[in-house]
Amino acid sequence: MYDVLVKNGKIVTADAVTEGNIAIKEGRIAAVLTKGEEPEATNVIDAAGKYVFPGAIDTHAHLNDPGFEWREDYEHGTAAAALGGYTTVIDMPLQNDPCMTDAKAFDFKENKVSPNAYVDYCFWGGLTSYNFGDLKDLDEKGCVSFKSFIGPVSPDYESLNYGQAMEAMDMIKEFDGRAGFHCEDYAIIKNQEKRMKEAGRNDWKAFLESRPVVAEIVATDAIIEIAKATGCKAHICHVSHPAVAKKIKAAQDEGYDITAETCTHYLTFSNEDVIEKGPLYKCAPILQPKEAVEEMWEYVKAGVFSGIASDHSPCSYDEKFNEILGNKIETVFDVWGGCSGIQSGFQAAFSEGVVKRGVCPTVLANAMSVLPAKAFGIYGKKGDIKPGFDADLLIVDPNKEWEITEESLLYVNKISAFVGLKGKGLPVMTLVRGNVIAKDGKVIAKKGVGELVKKLK
Ligand SMILES: [Zn+2]
């Protein structure tokens, strides 16, 4: 007797789409059965006509909890993730108070967020100029990767120069960890911004010109070379442009363990959205030209990306339109940079990829589940539809049409670049470890059902 049987669905793995049944016991996939094999189960879910994906993994989200809950918190952020289909969220260490840079902060955060999570979650560890001595502890605690920036972000989260990145990667390699980087060369960006301001420019095109793709290429190249030199595993965050993806693919083809993610907004929107609609479409790296968006999909299909992430970077309405922490927004350069997309990530990727561009569903299973789980050391528990894996499943109705509205968003701040987007193909049920968390557009589980997932040793 099984606990749950998901029957008659089109089961999507990285290799194939096959009709069949999935039997679940004690939260794990017990058997993947061929069509017609229907053992008894307490709860039978009929997925006829629908796809059954492995739950998606969001490799990059800022849930801002603890410390900045007025931007987002675990209760709202993970409920939105559940509805959207991310069954595991890998949460960032910054925009936290305290930043997650040592074992004490790890415990503090885990105690604070665990009663409120609807989906499972992993922690990125902090990697700043001042916590090299804490990296091993954070790895032992279960951090799945370490996040750093090339170029300053905020006073309490100091970024690394290339020399420090090399030193950190020498250390991280020792415990077989992975170092992740926001790759935009700060010297180029700051100087471009200065040039724009000196020319009296304050328009959205000026913002785009202040962050040219060469800045992303230069920083990515540097991290790739440092990864090669140190032998440390690296992850390039939120790749926006095919010219960057090309560099990463070349390193992967040479056999280096350099993974990368892109985000749904880079596969959905273009720089024209920034110029026409402004603040909500401001993010870093920037949204790119339409031709680049098309070419990005080719790299998704080629398996270059271990993650189509949300880079959910929530903020208040004021921070996009009026003021940030008491500082009045006077130019496009002052506007909060970031898109809120953790609820819309899967449906937009499905609609833009599978429906609009004829991408095989297996590509999404690979890019959003299998490869991220492998990159972040949780494959075997998460990321696939195979016996022994956690029963994290996403049932998708390929024919359901949708339009994203503000009211439908579960975020603390119901603002997003995705509002107004229309598409087809929607998650209609989300299971985490065999529990139905969301169904027909509603979260039905109790908060706290989500659990911390540590890097598998
Ligand atoms: Zn981010």
Side-chain angles (χ1 to χ4, degrees), residues 91 109 194 353:
D91 187 23
K109 177 165 171 165
K194 185 168 149 271

Side-chain angles (χ1 to χ4, degrees), residues 297-331:
W297 275 105
E298 296 305 314
Y299 285 97
V300 174
K301 286 195 255 179
V304 171
F305 295 117
S306 301
I308 299 176
S310 68
D311 195 1
H312 185 64
S313 188
C315 65
S316 68
Y317 178 89
D318 271 347
E319 289 175 307
K320 281 289 189 189
F321 296 97
N322 297 316
E323 59 168 53
I324 300 180
L325 301 172
N327 300 310
K328 203 168 167 333
I329 293 171
E330 277 162 354
T331 72

Side-chain angles (χ1 to χ4, degrees), residues 186-198:
Y186 197 68
I188 295 176
I189 290 169
K190 269 293 140 196
N191 203 60
Q192 283 295 108
E193 196 176 309
K194 185 168 149 271
R195 288 171 70 188
M196 296 299 143
K197 285 178 175 170
E198 280 169 0

Side-chain angles (χ1 to χ4, degrees), residues 60 62 92 147 238 311:
H60 190 143
H62 299 267
M92 281 293 172
K147 171 69 181 297
H238 44 53
D311 195 1

Side-chain angles (χ1 to χ4, degrees), residues 96-138:
N96 277 198
D97 188 15
C99 288
M100 229 267 280
T101 48
D102 59 29
K104 206 171 142 217
F106 184 107
D107 289 338
F108 181 75
K109 177 165 171 165
E110 163 61 353
N111 285 333
K112 165 74 166 52
V113 304
S114 73
N116 300 320
Y118 286 98
V119 298
D120 286 353
Y121 52 93
C122 306
F123 292 151
W124 278 87
L127 170 54
T128 69
S129 57
Y130 55 82
N131 80 323
F132 286 11
D134 295 296
L135 299 176
K136 199 166 187 307
D137 285 355
L138 286 168

Side-chain angles (χ1 to χ4, degrees), residues 386-452:
K386 285 183 177 168
F389 280 68
D390 282 358
D392 298 346
L393 302 172
L394 184 57
I395 302 179
V396 175
D397 182 342
N399 298 313
K400 201 153 188 130
E401 298 193 7
W402 47 261
E403 177 177 352
I404 295 171
T405 61
E406 278 180 1
E407 308 79 70
S408 69
L409 299 175
L410 301 183
Y411 310 145
V412 167
N413 294 285
K414 298 175 195 307
I415 52 170
S416 170
F418 288 89
V419 168
L421 187 73
K422 291 177 185 169
K424 196 165 132 178
L426 191 68
V428 291
M429 190 182 284
T430 308
L431 288 86
V432 175
R433 283 174 282 102
N435 301 302
V436 179
I437 306 295
K439 189 183 172 188
D440 298 328
K442 289 206 162 55
V443 174
I444 60 169
K446 283 207 176 77
K447 65 179 184 179
V449 65
E451 290 178 356
L452 176 70

